[in-house]
Amino acid sequence: MTSTSELNELIEITRDGQRFYQHACEEVKDVELQHLFRDMAQAKTQVIQALSVKLAADHKKVSQGGTMVGKLRELYMDTKTKLGGDPRVAYVDQLEEVEDRILHAFEDALEGAEPDVRALLATELPRLRACHSRMQQLKHSLH
């Protein structure tokens, strides 16, 4: 994969997470979770901006969409929460999986990346790992 398409794929996967956090924030009534979800969406926005700056600097087009997996996950959650159950637990479970997906995508991309892209990804990974850890801890505390 070229670094342009790889960076755009990472942007799309991260945007899925950003949008899902924003959606979850609107759906849950728990104020603490809303605050956390907003923080997590903002972290994703910062990662997207960092990757977009790299592409723009290289005069490459930045992807503006997300992925089909992201859209399906949101549709699944809307259906699941309408059928009952605790939406807090359901959203946290799904968001932790979103964090897994983002983190694994970045770690996989890091392995074969060109040096300048590798440096960029290495800079963003601590933020992504912190987000992943936060959601993992929250998931375990709710179960």
Side-chain angles (χ1 to χ4, degrees):
M1 208 184 300
T2 68
S3 57
T4 300
S5 63
E6 192 165 62
L7 286 175
N8 270 318
E9 184 177 319
L10 293 174
I11 286 171
E12 291 172 359
I13 291 168
T14 306
R15 186 171 286 117
D16 286 345
Q18 174 199 41
R19 289 177 177 168
F20 198 38
Y21 275 111
Q22 291 168 336
H23 180 74
C25 186
E26 295 167 7
E27 298 296 318
V28 299
K29 304 302 178 222
D30 183 309
V31 176
E32 285 183 43
L33 280 183
Q34 289 174 341
H35 182 67
L36 172 64
F37 293 168
R38 272 194 287 282
D39 286 352
M40 300 295 265
Q42 181 59 33
K44 304 299 175 273
T45 299
Q46 292 167 347
V47 171
I48 292 166
Q49 288 171 343
L51 299 182
S52 297
V53 165
K54 168 66 176 141
L55 286 171
D58 292 343
H59 306 289
K60 304 293 182 184
K61 185 174 177 174
V62 177
S63 175
Q64 298 301 313
T67 69
M68 183 59 72
V69 170
K71 291 177 182 136
L72 291 173
R73 186 180 303 274
E74 201 170 302
L75 179 63
Y76 168 75
M77 280 309 301
D78 286 345
T79 304
K80 185 175 181 176
T81 55
K82 283 183 175 83
L83 295 174
D86 185 347
R88 295 173 326 127
V89 172
Y91 275 104
V92 168
D93 286 352
Q94 286 299 305
L95 287 164
E96 194 267 339
E97 288 183 27
V98 166
E99 291 296 339
D100 281 344
R101 181 175 181 233
I102 293 170
L103 185 59
H104 291 299
F106 273 75
E107 288 172 341
D108 289 349
L110 186 65
E111 289 179 22
E114 298 167 8
D116 59 334
V117 173
R118 179 187 302 265
L120 172 61
L121 299 181
T123 301
E124 296 305 318
L125 268 169
R127 179 192 330 262
L128 295 171
R129 287 186 177 122
C131 288
H132 180 265
S133 179
R134 244 175 124 178
M135 288 310 294
Q136 207 171 36
Q137 291 169 355
L138 181 57
K139 179 181 175 178
H140 292 300
S141 73
L142 289 176
H143 285 283

